[in-house]
Amino acid sequence: MRAGVFICDVMGHGVRASLLTAYFHGLIEELMPMASDSVSFMKRLNLGLNAVVARFYTGMFATAFYCVANIKTGKMYYTNAGHPMPLLLSRN
């Protein structure tokens, strides 16, 4: 059994940022079948987002972090796109 966590931030405020966020959400829903592979998921998300952001004349961008955790094995795989590096804590 796996669980995924996706965190993102779209630059700006107002209508353009809201439209980009809505597009981002739709793209994520479309890519859900490949969500178990964090690298492929983020690559496809980046390609889709770049196609839209290129149409905006002002610099807009989004950052994202996506993690897939295998609950049975305790292993986690993540892909980071522009966010600060995650902090890994251990009980030890």
Side-chain angles (χ1 to χ4, degrees):
M1 174 170 211
R2 293 183 218 158
V5 175
F6 184 80
I7 301 168
C8 72
D9 183 28
V10 174
M11 180 196 129
H13 301 282
V15 175
R16 284 186 301 159
S18 296
L19 290 173
L20 188 58
T21 301
Y23 180 77
F24 212 155
H25 184 267
L27 192 55
I28 290 167
E29 290 293 324
E30 181 182 317
L31 296 175
M32 285 303 286
M34 66 173 37
S36 63
D37 179 2
S38 66
V39 174
S40 295
F41 179 78
M42 290 291 275
K43 280 183 180 180
R44 292 284 304 272
L45 191 60
N46 188 46
L47 287 172
L49 212 55
N50 278 339
V52 171
V53 171
R55 294 183 184 154
F56 289 98
Y57 294 109
T58 59
M60 289 191 74
F61 64 90
T63 61
F65 173 82
Y66 182 56
C67 175
V68 177
N70 186 321
I71 296 171
K72 277 189 171 182
T73 64
K75 291 186 179 185
M76 292 175 41
Y77 301 92
Y78 71 89
T79 305
N80 188 24
H83 271 295
M85 291 299 292
L87 179 63
L88 179 63
L89 300 176
S90 174
R91 291 180 190 228
N92 297 334

